[in-house]
Amino acid sequence: TTVAISATASHPIPTTLYGQMFEDINSGDGGLYAELLQNRAFQQVAPNTTAALNAWHAIGSATINVVADPTPVSSALPNALQLRVPSSASGAVGFGNEGYWGIKVDSTWTYNASFYYRFPAASAQKPTSTVSLVSSSGDTYAAASVTLDGSQTTWKQVFVTLKPNANAPNTANNFAVTLDGASARGLTVNFAMFSLFPPTYKGRANGMRIDVATALAEMNPSFFRLPGGNNLEGQSTATRWQWNATVGPLVDRPGRMGDWGYINTDGLGLMEYLYWCEDVGMQPIMAVWAGYSLDGDSLPENELAPYIQQAADQIEFVIGDTSTTYGALRASLGRAEPFNLTYIEVGNEDFFASSSYIYRWRDFYGNLSARYPQLQFIATTYPFNPILTPTPKHYDNHVYQTPHWFASNSFFYDDYERNGTTYFEGEYASISSNASDLYGSAATGRFLYPTMAASTGEAAFMTGLERNADIVFAASYAPLLQNIASTQWTPDLVSYDAATVYRSTSYYTQQLFSVNRGDEYLPSTLPARNGTVFWSVTRRNSPSAILIKVSNTVSTPADLVFQLPLGINAGSSGTAQVLQGSQNASNTPSTPNAVTPVTFTISVGRTVNYSAPGFSVSVLTVPIA
Ligand SMILES: O=S(=O)(O)O[C@H]1C[C@H](O)[C@@H](O)[C@@H]1CO
């Protein structure tokens, strides 16, 4: 196939074209958010239940229980962990936390631990506690002593640093707090708000896990959609995500029952998201709750006002100057300067509630755009279905489909009317080989991890996003992250456990496109809509180059001849970055590097001759003098 490349660009590649969709779907707590202790503050649990002790266990003859403390550490955290030492105790007594399915012990790290304690009944005793990192088989990697003062009947926070003396061979390790039983007989001590942090990405306080953050940053993302996705919406109005419950001291954050079946600590809150965006060089695409929750309830129009106000307050917290109420709150938390914000998404997937979205959009958009005319608002129903007023300038399209669908729909946006509307392809992924049971199980075709068929299908679709980037301003694969020990959705772009991050074939595909996006689109001979090989050509300003992306979605190699535009001065060689594997090849925890990009030199003349291997994603870089 010969592909003639035009010298005249048709449209710029938006700086926002590639980014990330995020929500806590086993991806925040225990994942991107670096807190190592699971159930660290006994949030949203019923006292005196076994479930309340999730991830905690007693050590020695101690008994532990989650109690509703009569003088709680804060109104947000009513529960405490109560340790009772039997009168006959001897040996170590206390409790341990198993982390999020394990704790990585790294001898090059300094861990920061903290907790609150108080004695419900004053005691003359001043027992020494040992705070440690121990293997589940009892090896102590790090330990520090903290005296607990029996006269301390009000809450006192203590801080400890832990430096392991060795790397643990696996993640079967615990955080532990113990007393010497013989010297603590009969004592009762209450504890609250534990925390154990490893070093964080860019050293940010209350920040992100370095290896996960690094993998995400290496995609060169330009935006970060937050906080969801379903996890924005709540199973009810009362349990929706509320920005104000996620900012300020951790001891004041109540947490919430998330929308993926587990409690969110909200330690990863709005301010942490915004610092994260800055640390990576992304802009937020920030959602506001828009009156619909996943139980199917839409608030009636005459009840929207307080929620519109809460959304306005959320925006004020992000961009308000310090003379505003919530700009001042932001400043009081250490950040006087407003954050960068352009895009607001109004709800999530409101095609589930199109009829109520007609008034919900009208009122949320109407009020918020009047207050913040400089912001761009994204609607979340199907485009122009139903008709919304005022007419949305932007829509968020989502699609989960088969590899074949993606390979067959790379012209999805070519047929879209050019009427001034621009589109956010906010969630897309090839999730199953079974078009008639997309959301089924692995037994019926669901992908547990992306495969090369999935990734080349996505790449084909992405060549169409670049060709149509005059109306597609942003696109992101979803979901972004999964904890392989506790998963709500597959496949995901990046997987991880307590020790390791696993980059999928779709991760490398996203990275190849995002890192090599270019600055303007160069039209070229169109691929066949129902063909099997797809390409996109862009020009990069600095360093000057032509970038040719190719996806081959079948097993047979494809021989391509790219005719470079006349008048450009290409050198005699370029580079190819190629991700190539068999149809079902996949990077998994057992085969983490089955398919990774390889780079090699290609020869360049008036044409670039390239044979795209079967099931491959390629980026050809042709430097321009
Ligand atoms: O069950 S779905 O609606 O398909 O859930 C999808 C769509 C929703 O926005 C996101 O949270 C989730 C997984 O990415």
Side-chain angles (χ1 to χ4, degrees):
T1 305
T2 298
V3 180
I5 300 172
S6 165
T8 308
S10 54
H11 56 269
I13 296 295
T15 56
T16 50
L17 185 56
Y18 295 116
Q20 294 169 350
M21 181 274 178
F22 183 85
E23 65 175 324
D24 205 329
I25 176 172
N26 283 107
S27 52
D29 286 335
L32 177 60
Y33 180 53
E35 171 63 61
L36 292 170
L37 302 185
Q38 185 171 184
N39 189 19
R40 69 179 177 185
F42 317 100
Q43 295 164 300
Q44 305 297 324
V45 293
N48 306 305
T49 62
T50 306
L53 282 169
N54 173 40
W56 294 93
H57 57 271
I59 294 175
S61 58
T63 60
I64 58 172
N65 186 30
V66 173
V67 300
D69 196 293
T71 57
V73 70
S74 72
S75 57
L77 302 177
N79 293 332
L81 180 69
Q82 184 163 83
L83 167 67
R84 305 173 76 90
V85 181
S87 56
S88 60
S90 65
V93 294
F95 46 82
N97 186 285
E98 68 198 33
Y100 286 94
W101 301 279
I103 296 177
K104 180 176 182 178
V105 174
D106 186 315
S107 63
T108 66
W109 290 356
T110 296
Y111 295 73
N112 290 307
S114 65
F115 57 81
Y116 290 78
Y117 81 92
R118 78 180 190 94
F119 284 73
S123 159
Q125 310 255 2
K126 296 183 188 305
T128 300
S129 71
T130 301
V131 182
S132 60
L133 293 173
V134 296
S135 75
S136 52
S137 53
D139 305 318
T140 298
Y141 290 104
S145 296
V146 177
T147 299
L148 303 182
D149 183 340
S151 68
Q152 187 72 47
T153 56
T154 56
W155 288 105
K156 178 176 173 53
Q157 190 174 24
V158 295
F159 300 86
V160 170
T161 57
L162 296 169
K163 297 179 195 293
N165 53 31
N167 293 334
N170 56 49
T171 59
N173 307 302
N174 298 321
F175 169 79
V177 177
T178 54
L179 308 178
D180 169 41
S183 58
R185 286 175 175 164
L187 285 184
T188 296
V189 193
N190 286 9
F191 296 84
M193 183 67 232
F194 291 85
S195 181
L196 177 69
F197 261 76
T200 60
Y201 186 69
K202 296 197 173 178
R204 182 72 66 183
N206 195 42
M208 308 305 182
R209 174 174 154 175
I210 292 174
D211 55 352
V212 172
T214 302
L216 299 188
E218 287 178 352
M219 287 170 58
N220 188 32
S222 303
F223 69 82
F224 198 74
R225 177 176 170 226
L226 63 100
N230 285 354
N231 207 42
L232 162 76
E233 299 182 75
Q235 297 301 315
S236 64
T237 299
T239 60
R240 72 195 183 281
W241 183 87
Q242 300 189 52
W243 75 271
N244 43 298
T246 77
V247 300
L250 293 177
V251 77
D252 295 331
R253 302 189 197 180
R256 65 179 273 264
M257 177 51 75
D259 292 300
W260 293 101
Y262 56 91
I263 295 160
N264 295 177
T265 68
D266 282 339
L268 172 53
L270 181 53
M271 195 111 158
E272 286 79 23
Y273 279 128
L274 296 166
Y275 279 130
W276 161 245
C277 287
E278 278 193 354
D279 288 347
V280 175
M282 302 183 284
Q283 61 174 282
I285 294 184
M286 181 173 79
V288 294
W289 189 77
Y292 173 78
S293 47
L294 294 175
D295 57 6
D297 276 354
S298 294
L299 291 178
E301 186 164 19
N302 65 7
E303 293 180 18
L304 292 181
Y307 304 92
I308 293 170
Q309 184 59 54
Q310 187 173 31
D313 297 345
Q314 177 183 334
I315 295 170
E316 186 176 281
F317 180 82
V318 178
I319 60 175
D321 67 38
T322 54
S323 68
T324 65
T325 304
Y326 297 104
L329 171 60
R330 186 191 66 242
S332 77
L333 297 175
R335 172 66 183 236
E337 182 195 358
F339 286 98
N340 174 25
L341 177 68
T342 299
Y343 288 102
I344 298 290
E345 182 148 353
V346 180
N348 174 62
E349 294 203 333
D350 284 278
F351 45 74
F352 288 111
S354 296
S355 55
S356 70
Y357 201 72
I358 291 170
Y359 65 79
R360 292 187 289 114
W361 166 261
R362 181 175 63 232
D363 295 355
F364 273 87
Y365 174 74
N367 280 276
L368 297 177
S369 62
R371 294 184 201 202
Y372 300 104
Q374 75 276 31
L375 298 183
Q376 299 292 323
F377 293 83
I378 303 168
T380 71
T381 49
Y382 298 123
F384 310 104
N385 171 14
I387 295 299
L388 300 174
T389 54
T391 305
K393 297 188 179 71
H394 316 291
Y395 279 96
D396 177 6
N397 280 334
H398 295 176
V399 58
Y400 295 99
Q401 261 291 354
T402 62
H404 180 262
W405 185 93
F406 280 99
S408 312
N409 284 275
S410 67
F411 284 72
F412 182 83
Y413 283 102
D414 292 68
D415 309 331
Y416 260 58
E417 188 184 341
R418 265 63 177 169
N419 57 21
T421 310
T422 62
Y423 298 90
F424 173 30
E425 189 66 32
E427 299 178 27
Y428 67 95
S430 178
I431 64 170
S432 172
S433 57
N434 184 346
S436 58
D437 185 14
L438 284 167
Y439 298 94
S441 67
T444 61
R446 184 74 177 261
F447 297 136
L448 297 179
Y449 295 92
T451 67
M452 280 308 292
S455 303
T456 53
E458 288 148 16
F461 186 70
M462 293 161 80
T463 64
L465 299 181
E466 294 191 351
R467 183 173 59 249
N468 292 283
D470 59 319
I471 60 169
V472 178
F473 70 89
S476 43
Y477 181 104
L480 182 63
L481 278 167
Q482 73 156 340
N483 187 325
I484 62 172
S486 176
T487 290
Q488 312 302 324
W489 179 290
T490 69
D492 303 86
L493 202 63
V494 176
S495 299
Y496 61 88
D497 56 30
T500 310
V501 176
Y502 306 97
R503 300 175 191 217
S504 71
T505 54
S506 289
Y507 168 91
Y508 288 117
T509 299
Q510 291 291 320
Q511 183 182 46
L512 282 170
F513 273 69
S514 178
V515 170
N516 302 288
R517 62 186 76 180
D519 298 294
E520 53 187 8
Y521 188 78
L522 297 182
S524 63
T525 309
L526 286 178
R529 284 185 176 224
N530 55 8
T532 58
V533 188
F534 302 89
W535 53 85
S536 164
V537 184
T538 62
R539 177 165 39 208
R540 183 181 64 202
N541 296 330
S542 170
S544 181
I546 285 181
L547 303 168
I548 303 170
K549 301 180 186 79
V550 182
S551 178
N552 185 350
T553 65
V554 293
S555 59
T556 46
D559 295 334
L560 300 165
V561 176
F562 291 97
Q563 292 176 335
L564 296 177
L566 297 176
I568 66 122
N569 180 4
S572 61
S573 72
T575 56
Q577 300 172 77
V578 185
L579 183 75
Q580 191 267 329
S582 60
Q583 179 172 9
N584 299 318
S586 186
N587 292 337
T588 70
S590 52
T591 59
N593 299 305
V595 187
T596 58
V598 296
T599 300
F600 51 85
T601 302
I602 53 173
S603 65
V604 171
R606 291 306 324 146
T607 65
V608 177
N609 297 5
Y610 181 65
S611 177
F615 291 110
S616 67
V617 180
S618 307
V619 177
L620 310 181
T621 302
V622 179
I624 299 174

